[in-house]
Amino acid sequence: MKNRNLHTGTKSSVRPYIVMDANGVEYLLPNYSESFRALMDDKEIIMDMLNSVLQLDGRNKIKDVKYQFEKPIDVFMPENDPVRLDAWVETRDRRFINIEVQNWPHAFILDRMQLYNAYLTLRSKYDYNRSPHFKSLTKKERRRRMYELPETISIWLCNFPILKPKGLFKDMWAVYSENDIRTGKALPTLPKNKYIIVDLPKFARLRKKVCSREDFWLGLLSKGPTGMPCFEDPVYARAVSRLRVSNVDPKILKSLEAKMSEDEHVMEVIKADAYLKGEAEGKKAGKKEGMEKGAERERRRIVKILRSKGVSPELLNAALAVK
């Protein structure tokens, strides 16, 4: 991988999802679901990224895919809140992958991962049973495979700290037997279902150079196109080109503008969590002042997070207006 000059760029204060390089060329930051779609809406790019992040090669390498963005999940939802998966991928050999791009930490992020994984499993089973492969089986064989599940992988690209070990920016989570762990022979008990968790800020701190294809994709996602070297690799060049604002579908740009005033459900979760933490701290101290100080401390923490995401002062004030 030959690289030339390094990009240098600045973030727009008006449109925080856009950065500008030294030549005045504007690019999208790909860590929003809309800009991620602009980047990944290319079969070769999405396969290269998945093979790199999942470290697949040889027989396991993904060779062909069908994919969809904003995949609706039409199963029962809590409080009738509709769920759409950021990116849904089905491989030619019937593996199902959900890719989520997350910018907001909140109290139940791990529960959200588990919930989306359940949606992925249910929808994958539904699609698998209606696939040409499954329908080509004999009636007896279809009955035998009534409860067979396809392989499912939940990939969470988190633009906030989520992995505690200092030197770890990516981890694989799965279900293990407690007994196997105790005996030191632990392998996934449910090998068809796993999570890949990526801590993008930690990756950006730990990896300063691009030494692999995985480094390129995670670098692009964590630093944006202006934070990456220029490569001659045609897939890399096309990926960066897809993020150039002048090449992006105007509908995606319009969605990004709307996005800056949305994410309301996540903001509400963060806001409520901050208030309740402060309230609990105050009650523990047994003083009203303690409660107020605890709530204020949490407010400051949330303000820092929201500002780092480029939230406007108006939206920031609205999000923190706790009654």
Side-chain angles (χ1 to χ4, degrees), residues 5 17 33 39 75 85 104 191 242 271 318:
N5 61 300
Y17 49 88
S33 57
L39 169 64
V75 297
L85 305 182
W104 306 100
R242 292 188 65 83
K271 182 174 66 174

Side-chain angles (χ1 to χ4, degrees), residues 28 44 47 63 90 105 142 165-166 187 189 205 227 251 254 267 305 308 311 322:
L28 293 182
E44 191 175 4
M47 286 195 299
K63 299 177 178 64
E90 179 184 351
R142 290 199 303 271
K166 290 183 178 180
L187 290 173
T189 305
R205 290 198 306 272
K251 292 180 181 179
K254 200 165 185 178
M267 284 190 179
I305 292 172
S308 72
V311 174
V322 181

Side-chain angles (χ1 to χ4, degrees), residues 10-18 310-313:
T10 56
K11 184 185 289 189
S12 167
S13 59
V14 179
R15 297 177 295 174
Y17 49 88
I18 289 179
V311 174
S312 68

Side-chain angles (χ1 to χ4, degrees), residues 33-50:
S33 57
E34 293 83 1
S35 52
F36 183 76
R37 174 177 183 169
L39 169 64
M40 289 290 155
D41 197 3
D42 178 296
K43 184 182 286 191
E44 191 175 4
I45 286 176
I46 202 167
M47 286 195 299
D48 196 302
M49 190 277 286
L50 287 173

Side-chain angles (χ1 to χ4, degrees), residues 58-318:
R59 293 177 59 187
N60 290 322
K61 190 173 182 178
I62 296 171
K63 299 177 178 64
D64 193 18
V65 295
K66 294 186 294 183
Y67 61 89
Q68 180 180 345
F69 298 99
E70 297 294 314
K71 173 82 168 180
I73 301 299
D74 48 358
V75 297
F76 175 77
M77 303 298 176
E79 301 180 5
N80 295 319
D81 186 17
V83 169
R84 294 178 183 273
L85 305 182
D86 286 348
W88 170 278
V89 180
E90 179 184 351
T91 69
R92 185 168 64 188
D93 55 355
R94 297 173 294 283
R95 286 175 279 181
F96 293 85
I97 303 167
N98 170 219
I99 312 170
E100 291 295 316
V101 182
Q102 296 294 311
N103 283 308
W104 306 100
H106 55 80
F108 297 100
I109 185 65
L110 299 184
D111 289 11
R112 186 179 183 185
M113 290 180 180
Q114 187 174 353
L115 185 62
Y116 278 38
N117 185 270
Y119 294 150
L120 170 64
T121 301
L122 286 170
R123 183 68 205 204
S124 298
K125 174 60 176 171
Y126 179 90
D127 286 1
Y128 174 70
N129 277 34
R130 283 155 183 77
S131 68
H133 164 76
F134 192 84
K135 288 182 176 180
S136 70
L137 302 174
T138 64
K139 184 176 181 180
K140 186 175 182 180
E141 185 65 16
R142 290 199 303 271
R143 184 175 296 277
R144 187 179 78 85
R145 294 173 180 263
M146 181 182 298
Y147 297 108
E148 179 189 30
L149 290 176
E151 182 181 350
T152 52
I153 306 171
S154 295
I155 301 177
W156 289 75
L157 303 169
C158 299
N159 195 32
F160 53 84
I162 190 167
L163 298 176
K164 292 182 179 180
K166 290 183 178 180
L168 186 69
F169 63 80
K170 187 181 78 171
D171 200 10
M172 188 275 285
W173 296 352
V175 176
Y176 291 86
S177 158
E178 184 176 342
N179 180 68
D180 288 349
I181 293 173
R182 194 164 46 241
T183 58
K185 299 178 181 179
L187 290 173
T189 305
L190 305 177
K192 288 186 176 181
N193 181 256
K194 62 184 177 183
Y195 303 76
I196 302 297
I197 313 299
V198 180
D199 187 320
L200 292 173
K202 192 176 291 183
F203 172 86
R205 290 198 306 272
L206 294 174
R207 291 290 176 90
K208 303 300 182 183
K209 296 181 179 180
V210 177
C211 301
S212 67
R213 300 191 82 81
E214 180 184 56
D215 287 350
F216 173 81
W217 293 114
L218 297 186
L220 185 61
L221 290 166
S222 61
K223 303 170 187 176
T226 60
M228 296 296 292
C230 295
F231 289 97
E232 295 177 0
D233 186 291
V235 177
Y236 294 172
R238 192 161 73 251
V240 172
S241 177
R242 292 188 65 83
L243 290 171
R244 187 167 177 160
V245 170
S246 59
N247 295 334
V248 176
D249 185 338
K251 292 180 181 179
I252 290 180
L253 296 176
K254 200 165 185 178
S255 294
L256 275 165
E257 289 177 12
K259 185 77 170 180
M260 295 302 100
S261 60
E262 292 178 356
D263 274 342
E264 291 177 2
H265 64 296
V266 179
M267 284 190 179
E268 285 296 324
V269 169
I270 294 173
K271 182 174 66 174
D273 184 43
Y275 180 77
L276 292 174
K277 282 183 178 178
E279 184 179 42
E281 185 173 331
K283 286 181 178 179
K284 187 176 181 180
K287 298 179 182 179
K288 183 180 179 181
E289 310 90 82
M291 185 170 72
E292 291 173 350
K293 287 180 180 179
E296 182 57 31
R297 187 179 300 113
E298 287 301 318
R299 284 173 189 268
R300 288 196 297 269
R301 184 178 71 85
I302 299 307
V303 166
K304 185 177 179 181
I305 292 172
L306 295 178
R307 280 178 178 160
S308 72
K309 306 302 179 188
V311 174
S312 68
E314 294 79 10
L315 187 57
L316 184 63
N317 291 335

